[in-house]
Amino acid sequence: MTTPEIGKLEPVGLRSIWPDEARDFTPWLAQNLDLLGAELGMELELDRQEVTLPGGAGRVDILAKQVGSGATVVIENQLEVSDDGHCLRLLGYAASIGADILVWVARGFTEYHRSIVKWINNTDSINIYAVTVESWRIGESRAARFHLVESPQSESGTRRSSSDSPNRNQRYANFYRQVAEKLRRSELPPVGRGGWRGKWRSFQTGHPPHFYSLGLEDVGEARAYFEARGEDAQVVYDALRERRAEIDSELSGATIEWQDGHRWIALKTKASLDDPEEKHEETREWMASNLLKLRNVIQPRLDQIMAELQPPATGDDVDSPTTNDEQETTQ
């Protein structure tokens, strides 16, 4: 029996197969999302490629959808080792279109860029994957392979399955996205605490680490609240509590909770993530209007309290008085 000839597997440079990222690699990747999806553990469906974003936000290499959940997936690819330019563009695209999942494909990743990907995943703000691409040759045939190097991690340390439609984290993301954008337009910008995937979403007070927040609990309760945090949390909360009668009066008509353990002032209503979409719309409207109401009541008092907590100016911070001789010299 004749032994069949077995070719030698040899690595080859990416640009020997795809000389140009935009003209060669991006179209190939768009046609082979099943290979990338298999490595990520999710099914991807092409939406568009080379998508120009409004407002000068850039041009997305590939825009896809996760089959089942409908999550928006932004894919940024490069044929070289990861660099700051591609990293910045990827994050800019996510902010511009409200992406749910980011996929960064590169020849390799520096430890610095891997640390950025890990940090983003740990902030619980968005799912981001870092994937390397390799190219091989067997005789005259060519092959490519993806390798996942960074991904969102579950609490158990294993990669989350993204194939189910949709998971609870994505449902929270979908729920909060609309209300967060509405509050942003009302000049109440969100911050990373809580993240799109969590049960809570936080917004700026101008005095970090104190925040306004929204929460949707599994027990069937929605909350719009202010929470005092950090070293001066108890002092700030106590100062607000001294004004409780007037605050409660201005917040009349809502169910108000002063929670001493958490140091928060909350407005509450009945709601659940498992409610139908019609109820979600009602809950989002309640959250937006009540958080703005809470902000309008708390903010002037918080500004005053924080001003009073500022340390007095030292001699180094105050202009020393000039003598008569100095005045004459400067005049």
Side-chain angles (χ1 to χ4, degrees), residues 20-33:
D20 184 85
E21 285 182 16
R23 291 193 296 268
D24 302 310
F25 184 66
T26 298
W28 177 86
L29 182 57
Q31 295 172 11
N32 291 272
L33 289 180

Side-chain angles (χ1 to χ4, degrees), residues 14 26 30-31 41 57 62 64 84 86 106 114 118 138-139 148 159 169 185 194 212 243 246 254-255 271 290 311 322:
L14 298 180
T26 298
Q31 295 172 11
I62 296 174
D84 289 345
H86 284 79
R114 289 185 66 167
K118 289 178 181 177
I138 304 178
L148 183 64
R159 178 154 44 113
N169 288 330
R185 292 194 299 269
Y212 299 111
R243 301 161 169 82
E246 59 191 58
T255 302
N290 278 273
T322 57

Side-chain angles (χ1 to χ4, degrees), residues 34-151:
D34 57 328
L35 299 179
L36 177 61
E39 180 63 17
L40 299 178
M42 69 177 75
E43 187 177 355
L44 299 175
E45 181 180 72
L46 178 65
D47 184 347
R48 289 167 288 165
Q49 56 179 308
E50 298 295 344
V51 182
T52 300
L53 300 179
R59 191 176 180 87
V60 175
D61 289 337
I62 296 174
L63 197 59
K65 294 288 185 183
Q66 181 186 15
V67 175
S69 72
T72 299
V73 183
V74 168
I75 302 173
E76 175 75 359
N77 55 254
Q78 59 182 121
L79 292 175
E80 304 298 336
V81 174
S82 60
D83 58 45
D84 289 345
H86 284 79
C87 182
L88 184 60
R89 286 197 293 273
L90 183 63
L91 298 180
Y93 301 156
S96 178
I97 65 176
D100 304 288
I101 300 170
L102 303 180
V103 181
W104 187 0
V105 180
R107 179 167 63 85
F109 286 86
T110 66
E111 285 302 314
Y112 170 65
H113 292 127
R114 289 185 66 167
S115 71
I116 291 176
V117 172
K118 289 178 181 177
W119 178 80
I120 292 172
N121 280 323
N122 288 337
T123 61
D124 200 28
S125 55
I126 195 169
N127 281 333
I128 180 168
Y129 298 80
V131 185
T132 57
V133 58
E134 303 168 346
S135 53
W136 302 82
R137 176 177 63 195
I138 304 178
E140 296 302 317
S141 299
R142 301 290 189 270
R145 182 177 66 181
F146 295 103
H147 177 63
L148 183 64
V149 295
E150 294 293 345
S151 69

Side-chain angles (χ1 to χ4, degrees), residues 313-319:
T314 64
D316 294 337
D317 299 326
V318 179
D319 293 336

Side-chain angles (χ1 to χ4, degrees), residues 6 24 28 62 77 93 98 102 107 154 171 216 225 237 261-262 266 275 287 291 293 296 330:
I6 299 177
D24 302 310
W28 177 86
I62 296 174
N77 55 254
Y93 301 156
L102 303 180
R107 179 167 63 85
S154 67
R171 290 174 63 196
L216 186 61
Y225 60 104
Y237 179 76
H262 291 285
D275 289 335
M287 282 182 158
L291 196 64
K293 180 180 182 180
N296 293 339
T330 57

